[in-house]
Amino acid sequence: MNKKTIITILLALVAILTVLPLETKAQTMADSLRADSIYKSMELQGVEVVKQKSLVKSDIDKITYDIENDPDSKSNTVIEMLRKIPMVTVDGEDNIQVNGSSSFKIYVNNKPNQMMSNNPKEVLKSMPATSIKKIEVITNPGPKYDAEGVGGILNIITHGQHIEGYTATFSGNVSNRGAGGSTYATIKSGRLMMSGRYNYRYNNSPRSYSGSSRKTIGNITVSSSDLESESSSKGHGYSQFGSFEASYEIDTLRLLTASFDLYGGGNKSNGDGTTIATSPLTQTPLYRYTTDRHSKNNYGYIDGGIDYQRSFSVPERLLTFSYKIEHEPDKSESHTDYLDMQAADGWENFLQRLKNQYNDGSERTMEHTFQIDYTTPFAKIHTLETGLKYILRNNSSENDRYEEDIFDQDHSSHYKHCNNIFAAYLGYGLKLKKLSGRLGLRYEHTLQDVEYKLGRGDDFKRHFNDFVPSASIGYKLTQTSNLRLGYDMRIYRPGIWYLNPYLDDSTPTNIYQGNSHLDSEKSHSLNLSYSNFTPKFNINLALRYSFTNNSIEDVVRMMPDTQIPGLKNPTGKDVLYTTYENIGRRQGINLNTYINWNATKNTRIYVNGRLSYIDMDDGGTLSNHGWNLFMYGGAQQTLPKDWQLSLNFYGITPSVNLQGRGSSYSDYSVSIQKSWLKKRLNLTLSASNFLKKYKQYNYTTKDTFFHADSWSKYVDQSFSLSISYRIGELSASVKKAERSISNDDVKGGGSGGSSGSSE
């Protein structure tokens, strides 16, 4: 078709339109518009665009889980939500691992919380997930973080990070295990912004049961014995957590922030037990006794800090001065009465050591920290960060023992442990289109000063010098997928739990003692991860290899009690002696997998798992290795009229430790939630393990000369009702200094996150 023909056709169309009556032209246009409208209406009805927000976000050095937008957070505690988070596993006894390691640190709002790091199980079980906005898993800590922590850092971000204006939320819950309540509020007045929260929880623990057996093997003598014991206990307690945050904008470039946190609580328990010993040679009874125990403890953690942040006309250039003070007082006391004692000939002197005991213990930590940080971008794609830090930490421990109401100075211990830590770091960051990377080097000098005021032990001083490198590189494959490779070295300084030389022989067949001569533990790791997060499908795969050549391990040995230094009135009988030593050579490989599938706009299915292999030995006679699998999964369904249903399950195969193995474990739960008043009022009903009241956990310990099995049986069945109500409106955030103090350099003790193993 040539140009002349096209012009002729156009002229003909114009002529036809010109001669049409006006009514006809108007009707034609109306019909056309009506048809277009009907078509568009049909088109809109046929296609519905729904935006589904991903709960997981990946960065070069961390993974972030959005707790607030997970429906299960309305009824669960924080430790239950941790099972959903990539790179985190929680077993049947609520022991937490990050990156396959039980050695990690916990932060709250980018600041370390020593109480949570030392007692993660107890603290996180008492915190409702409704108080949490998100949790960050920092798998590759950069040089600005203290060199402590093998597994990484859990950074818990509470509400208030991104809230301004006036709002308050009130929550309450009740279950067959206790009850609790919480409140949160924030307010802004001019340049001053403040937020505060408080949570209280009462726990009523149903009676639980436990038992153990010990068989002598190998070198059996007349001093050897086989043991069988059973006991039960019941307790109750409370916990409370509160915080206050404030910020004041002096002007557009200067910001002053302050914070205050407290955590505390107490527990009381009573129990009884029976112990029977028999001869491994003749199977005849050697002795028996019963015990009556009752104890109580109170614990607390208080910290406060202030930060001054100076910004500049250059974006992201920051200078920060920080100060922080922390105080952690703990106190405990216990009574043990020995009853119904019977002994065969030759074993009377062993039972004579069983005298009614009263133990009064206290531990205190006081810490002051000063820090300066500076970060600046240059040449658009580069970032430089540097800083200095000084920590003055004083630990003290006093354990007083009384036998038959008489002070026992030989078994009492008063102990002081002072740490002076100086640190400096230098880091470099690069962002170039799809490529990003970080390099860092941190130097830490530590002076330990240990002094014994009462009891056995020699005063000593020790210096440590550590250079800690780190490196990571990330590549953005697409808009939603990333590939990351990293290396880091981490160290552990043994805390007072491990160093305290107090000799605990309250149970004469099982004696415990710390080791004041432990060295810092060093760990190296390589990690490779892939992530792809879209509104429809999320996946994160992380492969990690790590090794440690001097890990701090608890070691159990059977020996005559005459070989235990400082033991009063030894009898020559065989006992189990447990202490800590830098003997561990540990290496392992972990594959962490997280998958989330938004099957429809109202249906979410997810799986979080970890497969690991570990190999460890003490360089001598002790060694162990094996596989471990953890799997957590579930589904969430949004129903009409603001109803939500959630189903969850998890299972774990036996854990592997230097001298033993745990048992497999499984769990399941269901919850249903209803919202009213534009989701301001929420009601949640939940139940877990409702088909069986009790659950049992077993553990095995082996050595050349003994084989020990222990078990615990406790109520794991739970039914709960939770309600929350929110008032006010939200619009911005309580500002915080972008740099602040983070003390995460101590290897703690006790249960959970900071205990023992490094894989």
Side-chain angles (χ1 to χ4, degrees):
M1 187 178 296
N2 55 34
K3 184 176 179 180
K4 183 177 180 181
T5 304
I6 294 174
I7 295 174
T8 302
I9 294 174
L10 289 175
L11 290 173
L13 288 173
V14 171
I16 293 172
L17 289 174
T18 303
V19 299
L20 282 174
L22 291 178
E23 293 83 4
T24 304
K25 288 191 288 184
Q27 184 66 38
T28 302
M29 293 178 63
D31 291 342
S32 177
L33 290 173
R34 188 179 300 112
D36 186 60
S37 176
I38 293 173
Y39 175 79
K40 288 183 177 179
S41 176
M42 293 175 61
E43 185 180 40
L44 289 174
Q45 291 176 2
V47 179
E48 182 180 4
V49 179
V50 178
K51 184 178 180 180
Q52 293 179 312
K53 185 176 181 180
S54 175
L55 294 177
V56 183
K57 179 182 177 182
S58 177
D59 202 350
I60 188 172
D61 60 349
K62 66 184 178 183
I63 292 174
T64 303
Y65 190 90
D66 190 344
I67 298 291
E68 182 181 31
N69 285 303
D70 189 324
D72 282 348
S73 65
K74 304 300 185 294
S75 60
N76 286 352
T77 63
V78 175
I79 201 165
E80 290 170 321
M81 296 301 297
L82 282 179
R83 291 192 173 100
K84 292 187 173 187
I85 298 177
M87 316 298 291
V88 180
T89 57
V90 183
D91 69 13
E93 291 193 319
D94 293 328
N95 296 308
I96 307 167
Q97 289 190 334
V98 177
N99 243 342
S101 169
S102 58
S103 299
F104 60 91
K105 294 300 172 182
I106 297 179
Y107 286 18
V108 177
N109 296 329
N110 302 305
K111 298 180 181 180
N113 189 292
Q114 196 65 26
M115 171 61 71
M116 290 191 180
S117 293
N118 286 344
N119 306 280
K121 286 202 301 186
E122 301 305 321
V123 178
L124 299 181
K125 283 197 307 187
S126 66
M127 289 185 66
T130 52
S131 64
I132 306 300
K133 185 175 183 65
K134 60 184 178 180
I135 296 180
E136 298 174 344
V137 184
I138 303 175
T139 55
N140 298 99
K144 68 179 179 180
Y145 296 100
D146 290 325
E148 188 75 9
V150 170
I153 295 170
L154 287 180
N155 186 25
I156 298 174
I157 307 298
T158 61
H159 287 290
Q161 278 295 98
H162 300 283
I163 297 175
E164 179 188 296
Y166 155 67
T167 183
T169 302
F170 305 92
S171 303
N173 60 84
V174 62
S175 72
N176 60 321
R177 300 185 189 178
S182 63
T183 181
Y184 164 78
T186 185
I187 189 171
K188 177 185 177 182
S189 177
R191 294 182 178 180
L192 178 65
M193 305 175 69
M194 298 179 292
S195 69
R197 65 188 56 82
Y198 177 77
N199 173 68
Y200 180 88
R201 175 73 183 174
Y202 172 76
N203 298 299
N204 184 23
S205 302
R207 184 166 293 276
S208 61
Y209 303 87
S210 62
S212 64
S213 64
R214 189 193 75 196
K215 299 292 183 182
T216 305
I217 57 178
N219 186 25
I220 300 176
T221 67
V222 294
S223 298
S224 303
S225 62
D226 290 342
L227 293 178
E228 294 282 346
S229 66
E230 291 189 2
S231 63
S232 69
S233 64
K234 180 175 173 53
H236 62 90
Y238 74 96
S239 60
Q240 53 185 339
F241 171 77
S243 66
F244 172 79
E245 299 167 346
S247 69
Y248 182 74
E249 294 182 81
I250 302 172
D251 54 36
T252 57
L253 297 179
R254 293 179 295 171
L255 175 67
L256 190 66
T257 64
S259 64
F260 173 81
D261 298 280
L262 65 87
Y263 181 87
N267 294 289
K268 291 184 178 181
S269 65
N270 59 78
D272 54 70
T274 301
T275 300
I276 301 175
T278 57
S279 170
L281 295 172
T282 63
Q283 306 302 312
T284 57
L286 298 177
Y287 63 85
R288 64 168 293 154
Y289 62 87
T290 61
T291 56
D292 180 34
R293 302 176 186 269
H294 55 279
S295 63
K296 65 178 181 179
N297 69 297
N298 293 281
Y299 50 90
Y301 174 82
I302 304 171
D303 76 29
I306 187 168
D307 303 292
Y308 171 76
Q309 177 179 286
R310 176 69 164 87
S311 304
F312 300 87
S313 57
V314 178
E316 299 183 8
R317 178 176 294 171
L318 295 172
L319 176 65
T320 308
F321 298 91
S322 304
Y323 168 74
K324 185 177 183 181
I325 183 172
E326 301 177 53
H327 180 51
E328 185 177 351
D330 295 335
K331 186 173 178 59
S332 63
E333 58 179 85
S334 63
H335 297 261
T336 304
D337 295 331
Y338 295 95
L339 310 168
D340 189 28
M341 292 187 292
Q342 304 173 24
D345 292 341
W347 288 83
E348 300 91 339
N349 60 341
F350 185 75
L351 287 192
Q352 287 176 358
R353 296 182 54 230
L354 300 178
K355 296 181 180 180
N356 295 341
Q357 295 179 17
Y358 167 66
N359 289 276
D360 183 11
S362 65
E363 295 182 343
R364 293 177 297 275
T365 298
M366 178 62 77
E367 182 172 292
H368 301 272
T369 306
F370 305 87
Q371 182 171 312
I372 179 172
D373 298 279
Y374 178 70
T375 181
T376 181
F378 63 96
K380 295 183 179 181
I381 62 173
H382 307 281
T383 301
L384 187 68
E385 57 180 4
T386 185
L388 299 172
K389 184 175 187 178
Y390 172 71
I391 305 174
L392 174 60
R393 179 182 296 125
N394 288 302
N395 298 317
S396 65
S397 175
E398 297 179 359
N399 291 279
D400 293 331
R401 174 166 154 175
Y402 297 81
E403 290 189 350
E404 306 292 355
D405 297 326
I406 300 174
F407 181 63
D408 183 358
Q409 181 170 325
D410 289 339
H411 287 87
S412 299
S413 173
H414 291 192
Y415 166 84
K416 285 190 174 181
H417 174 214
C418 178
N419 267 355
N420 287 274
I421 304 170
F422 172 78
Y425 72 88
L426 179 65
Y428 166 74
L430 170 69
K431 286 187 177 181
L432 181 62
K433 295 182 179 179
K434 295 184 177 182
L435 186 68
S436 60
R438 291 182 181 176
L439 290 173
L441 180 65
R442 186 178 183 91
Y443 167 74
E444 294 191 358
H445 173 77
T446 306
L447 171 62
Q448 286 188 348
D449 188 354
V450 179
E451 181 180 1
Y452 300 94
K453 297 290 186 179
L454 178 68
R456 300 176 183 271
D458 299 323
D459 298 350
F460 68 90
K461 293 183 178 181
R462 186 169 299 168
H463 293 261
F464 300 99
N465 289 286
D466 296 296
F467 289 91
V468 183
S470 62
S472 59
I473 186 170
Y475 184 75
K476 193 171 185 178
L477 300 172
T478 67
Q479 290 297 320
T480 60
S481 60
N482 296 276
L483 190 66
R484 300 184 306 276
L485 176 66
Y487 161 80
D488 62 78
M489 170 187 167
R490 312 299 291 165
I491 66 173
Y492 271 148
R493 303 180 189 89
I496 193 170
W497 292 76
Y498 292 89
L499 294 168
N500 191 349
Y502 176 71
L503 187 67
D504 182 2
D505 63 342
S506 55
T507 303
T509 56
N510 293 277
I511 299 175
Y512 301 86
Q513 187 175 33
N515 182 1
S516 59
H517 299 287
L518 293 173
D519 290 323
S520 292
E521 176 184 309
K522 296 179 174 63
S523 176
H524 306 263
S525 68
L526 291 168
N527 52 81
L528 175 66
S529 65
Y530 167 79
S531 62
N532 188 13
F533 297 118
T534 68
K536 190 74 174 179
F537 186 80
N538 298 342
I539 184 171
N540 186 82
L541 301 174
L543 185 65
R544 181 173 185 261
Y545 170 74
S546 61
F547 65 93
T548 305
N549 292 324
N550 68 331
S551 66
I552 299 172
E553 303 289 344
D554 54 328
V555 179
V556 186
R557 295 187 177 93
M558 176 177 282
M559 62 176 64
D561 59 6
T562 52
Q563 297 181 12
I564 301 176
L567 183 64
K568 184 180 179 182
N569 301 322
T571 62
K573 307 301 183 183
D574 290 344
V575 299
L576 293 184
Y577 174 65
T578 303
T579 188
Y580 303 100
E581 298 181 14
N582 284 106
I583 62 172
R585 183 197 64 83
R586 176 184 294 266
Q587 61 179 341
I589 187 167
N590 304 308
L591 176 62
N592 289 272
T593 304
Y594 173 81
I595 297 174
N596 179 85
W597 177 39
N598 294 320
T600 70
K601 68 173 184 177
N602 295 322
T603 305
R604 175 174 173 248
I605 302 171
Y606 47 87
V607 175
N608 188 23
R610 187 200 70 197
L611 177 65
S612 63
Y613 179 81
I614 189 170
D615 181 21
M616 65 193 86
D617 64 65
D618 69 343
T621 58
L622 298 177
S623 64
N624 204 359
H625 60 88
W627 292 91
N628 178 253
L629 174 65
F630 171 89
M631 189 66 66
Y632 178 87
Q636 293 171 346
Q637 180 69 41
T638 300
L639 304 171
K641 298 184 178 181
D642 290 327
W643 285 88
Q644 288 181 325
L645 177 67
S646 179
L647 303 172
N648 296 290
F649 75 93
Y650 83 89
I652 189 169
T653 62
S655 59
V656 180
N657 292 290
L658 181 61
Q659 289 183 267
R661 291 177 180 267
S663 64
S664 58
Y665 197 90
S666 62
D667 203 345
Y668 56 89
S669 65
V670 58
S671 66
I672 187 166
Q673 176 189 326
K674 169 62 176 172
S675 299
W676 295 273
L677 304 176
K678 297 181 179 179
K679 297 189 177 182
R680 290 178 178 269
L681 178 63
N682 296 280
L683 181 69
T684 304
L685 291 169
S686 62
S688 62
N689 305 302
F690 44 83
L691 298 178
K692 190 176 181 180
K693 183 176 182 180
Y694 285 95
K695 188 157 291 185
Q696 184 166 314
Y697 189 86
N698 303 306
Y699 189 81
T700 300
T701 303
K702 295 181 180 181
D703 192 21
T704 307
F705 303 112
F706 75 92
H707 182 119
D709 294 299
S710 62
W711 57 270
S712 59
K713 179 182 173 182
Y714 49 90
V715 175
D716 201 34
Q717 193 178 63
S718 175
F719 303 92
S720 67
L721 170 66
S722 304
I723 186 169
S724 66
Y725 181 67
R726 175 175 58 85
I727 61 176
E729 296 296 337
L730 316 175
S731 60
S733 69
V734 174
K735 283 197 172 181
K736 293 177 180 287
E738 296 187 29
R739 296 278 196 231
S740 187
I741 288 175
S742 299
N743 290 348
D744 54 338
D745 60 292
V746 178
K747 180 165 186 169
S751 63
S754 302
S755 62
S757 71
S758 58
E759 291 297 335

